Amino acid sequence: MRRRSTGGAPGSPTPPPPPAAPVPPTPTGTTWHVRLEPGTAPDGPPDPSTRRDEVPPPPPAPPTGPGRWRPGGRGAEPERSWHYRRSLASRVTLLATIAVGLSVAFVAGGAFFTARDQLSRQLDTNLMDRARIAAKADLFQGADTTTITPPWAVGASDVRIAIVDDTGASASLSFEAPPLGEPEVAVAAGVRPESVRTVLVDGVGYRMVAVPVEGRSGAAVVIAQSLEQQEELLRRLGGGSLGFGLLGVLAAGISGWGVARNGLRPVRRLTKEVERIAETEELRRMPVEGDDELARLATAFNRMVIALDASRTRQRELVTDAGHELRTPLTSLRTNVDLLVQSEQDAQAIPAEMRTELLEDIRGQIEELTQLIGDLTELARDEPLAPVVGEVDLAEVVEMAVARVRRRAPGADIDVRLEPWRVVGEASALERCVINLLDNAAKWGPDDGTITVRLSGGVLTVDDQGPGIAPEDREHVFDRFWRARESRTMPGSGLGLSIVRQVAERHSGTAHAEAAPGGGARLVLSLPGRSGDA
């Protein structure tokens, strides 16, 4: 193998590669597993200790979709969200607590801001009224900025009051003058009709208003009141709202937990019942209380239990009956085979005629077993009709079944009269159903008898000329493995007509037996559909 030169003068010859190391012998049954890095090539044989079964598999790639990745263990698997790791009762409690907490927060916040707005409006209105009353007093008509008047003289002992002129000079009527500014001077100068604002004095808020002195130009009355009392009231209101809100959230959490525990009691009972069924396999219905969604869930669970119990019962009956029916042909088959084996071991050849009879008997028993196993397989299908099926002409299905039965019973005369009738279903199952009806008629009718087949309006009738079915046996002829007293010595497994009923029910139809008008038995198959001429 030649390598591309990475240095030296262009066209210089490539130095020969060093001699390869001797290759160690390969152990028998060893598979080499060579792992190359990108841009490298193998320079020699792999290490014999590095085998395919000793190379650890690459770690699984993390998922590309949403969710977290939890490494370790038998591989990485998506981690469930914290919300689904909690119990349903805790989730209901959490949701109720959050809902109540948000409601309390909105209500408390709305009450707090409403109260603060109302208190501010009330304070502004009160201060404005007192300022207008003071501006009309005779005390301020001749007062100037050098006049000092106590605030109680104008009924304002709880506020700071001052008078200011249009030059910005002021005189305080209280021990501490309110902080004056541009808005108050503008009111004194007549530029603004009034002024309302909040100021801070040594970290304390004051609400301050200014109105012009009536009957005198160039002067304004200024009143400022501390907001400490209002803020204290709002603090108490906020603390009380917070306390009651927390109590409400706590009460909501406790109530939500109680409601969740009480409301989910049927679910817990249903869970325990399902766990008990899984452990003991004892199918037992649970009591239904009320008429709400949980009651509907319990009712649906009881229906499922009933259906499961019925299915298990049918399965047990099928297994029991199948074992009983298989025992007879298997015993006979084993006896015949043992006779042949014993004749070979004793070196005593049995007559050719007897040997032929034994082989024919074995062949017949194998065919009987094959038919029995096929019938059992058909009966074991418990699934409903597939949703995607084709439309089938029942008349064509009957014609194909009649052709097959004529090959089986060439001596039977089959009188067929059919009208087109289209059904939605499985053609193979319907053909097997019709074949079983015809086989039953050929089995019970005389060798030279006539089998009458009619199809009209979705009703298929098959009449034979046999002994007929006793009235007390007509309800049982479609049961699994049921055989009349007269038929117990005849070949058959008792599964043919049960397959007929099963196929009819899977196609939303019915099957029943009655007496034929001319004697014998009449088997009736009714299937929903539509006329082929429509």
Side-chain angles (χ1 to χ4, degrees):
M1 175 174 155
R2 302 183 64 182
R3 299 178 182 266
R4 181 176 296 176
S5 176
T6 57
S12 60
T14 303
V23 180
T26 302
T28 305
T30 301
T31 302
W32 297 118
H33 182 76
V34 182
R35 183 167 53 192
L36 301 178
E37 299 294 335
T40 62
D43 293 331
D47 187 0
S49 62
T50 306
R51 290 180 294 181
R52 183 181 300 272
D53 55 353
E54 296 179 356
V55 177
T64 57
R68 284 190 267 173
W69 189 253
R70 181 187 301 168
R74 290 178 297 175
E77 59 182 8
E79 188 179 59
R80 293 186 303 170
S81 173
W82 69 271
H83 178 74
Y84 295 102
R85 293 198 301 269
R86 305 175 64 91
S87 65
L88 182 58
S90 63
R91 280 183 276 168
V92 172
T93 304
L94 181 61
L95 291 177
T97 305
I98 292 176
V100 173
L102 291 177
S103 301
V104 169
F106 279 118
V107 171
F112 178 81
F113 289 112
T114 301
R116 187 181 67 174
D117 184 66
Q118 290 295 330
L119 289 175
S120 297
R121 289 176 182 271
Q122 184 179 358
L123 179 61
D124 292 345
T125 303
N126 186 26
L127 288 176
M128 192 64 67
D129 292 342
R130 297 172 70 178
R132 290 193 178 101
I133 293 174
K136 294 179 183 179
D138 296 337
L139 179 64
F140 292 99
Q141 299 300 322
D144 55 18
T145 58
T146 60
T147 303
I148 302 299
T149 305
W152 52 265
V154 291
S157 60
D158 58 338
V159 297
R160 295 183 182 187
I161 186 169
I163 183 171
V164 62
D165 60 13
D166 53 359
T167 63
S170 64
S172 175
L173 277 69
S174 56
F175 295 103
E176 295 181 1
L180 304 177
E182 189 94 14
E184 290 74 27
V185 176
V187 173
V191 178
R192 299 176 60 178
E194 57 187 27
S195 172
V196 179
R197 66 190 182 105
T198 301
V199 296
L200 289 176
V201 179
D202 298 332
V204 179
Y206 282 84
R207 194 66 171 171
M208 189 168 61
V209 300
V211 296
V213 178
E214 292 189 8
R216 178 183 172 184
S217 61
V221 177
V222 180
I223 297 180
Q225 184 174 358
S226 174
L227 296 176
E228 288 185 345
Q229 185 177 2
Q230 178 179 338
E231 291 175 352
E232 179 65 21
L233 179 61
L234 290 177
R235 278 195 296 270
R236 291 182 179 180
L237 178 62
S241 300
L242 179 61
F244 282 107
L246 293 178
L247 290 177
V249 171
L250 179 61
I254 297 175
S255 302
W257 177 258
V259 170
R261 293 282 298 177
N262 184 62
L264 295 177
R265 188 179 304 164
V267 177
R268 292 195 300 272
R269 187 166 61 246
L270 179 61
T271 303
K272 293 180 180 179
E273 192 69 19
V274 173
E275 292 174 350
R276 186 191 62 80
I277 291 175
E279 293 175 358
T280 64
E281 296 185 0
E282 179 185 356
L283 300 177
R284 185 177 63 189
R285 289 183 293 176
M286 62 179 299
V288 180
E289 301 176 359
D291 194 21
D292 54 0
E293 289 80 1
L294 295 177
R296 292 175 55 191
L297 176 62
T299 303
F301 173 78
N302 289 338
R303 292 177 180 173
M304 181 191 68
V305 168
I306 294 173
L308 183 59
D309 185 44
S311 177
R312 189 169 65 176
T313 302
R314 290 195 303 268
Q315 181 182 10
R316 289 176 177 175
E317 292 177 353
L318 179 62
V319 171
T320 303
D321 295 339
H324 175 73
E325 292 294 329
L326 287 172
R327 189 178 297 113
T328 300
L330 285 176
T331 303
S332 177
L333 181 62
R334 180 178 180 179
T335 301
N336 292 333
V337 171
D338 287 343
L339 286 175
L340 292 176
V341 172
Q342 186 177 0
S343 66
E344 295 292 338
Q345 292 177 350
D346 295 344
Q348 295 180 359
I350 60 177
E353 184 179 353
M354 180 179 290
R355 184 182 183 86
T356 303
E357 184 179 351
L358 284 175
L359 292 177
E360 290 294 334
D361 195 8
I362 291 175
R363 178 183 299 177
Q365 291 160 359
I366 292 176
E367 291 179 355
E368 184 178 353
L369 281 174
T370 302
Q371 182 180 0
L372 179 59
I373 293 174
D375 293 342
L376 291 174
T377 303
E378 180 69 23
L379 287 174
R381 295 178 57 187
D382 235 354
E383 72 276 4
L385 189 62
V388 180
V389 294
E391 193 175 49
V392 181
D393 188 353
L394 187 57
E396 295 181 358
V397 172
V398 174
E399 290 178 354
M400 290 187 292
V402 168
R404 293 182 60 179
V405 172
R406 279 175 175 163
R407 290 193 296 269
R408 297 182 184 180
D413 181 19
I414 304 178
D415 181 16
V416 182
R417 188 179 302 169
L418 308 174
E419 295 180 1
W421 186 258
R422 306 194 68 83
V423 298
V424 177
E426 304 175 60
S428 58
L430 291 173
E431 183 178 358
R432 182 179 182 85
C433 172
V434 177
I435 289 175
N436 288 352
L437 292 176
L438 297 175
D439 284 342
N440 183 80
K443 173 182 175 181
W444 287 99
D447 294 338
D448 56 351
T450 302
I451 302 175
T452 305
V453 181
R454 298 288 184 267
L455 175 61
S456 176
V459 179
L460 176 67
T461 59
V462 178
D463 299 348
D464 60 43
Q465 295 179 346
I469 303 174
E472 63 273 11
D473 294 339
R474 292 173 186 171
E475 298 180 358
H476 304 288
V477 293
F478 293 96
D479 295 340
R480 294 177 178 178
F481 299 102
W482 189 91
R483 303 179 71 180
R485 182 179 304 174
E486 297 82 3
S487 64
R488 293 174 184 174
T489 58
M490 302 179 64
S493 62
L495 294 176
L497 295 184
S498 60
I499 293 177
V500 172
R501 183 172 63 179
Q502 185 185 54
V503 172
E505 291 176 351
R506 283 167 51 196
H507 290 77
S508 303
T510 59
H512 66 275
E514 59 186 37
R522 167 176 286 185
L523 301 179
V524 183
L525 174 66
S526 300
L527 296 175
R530 62 181 181 86
S531 176
D533 300 332

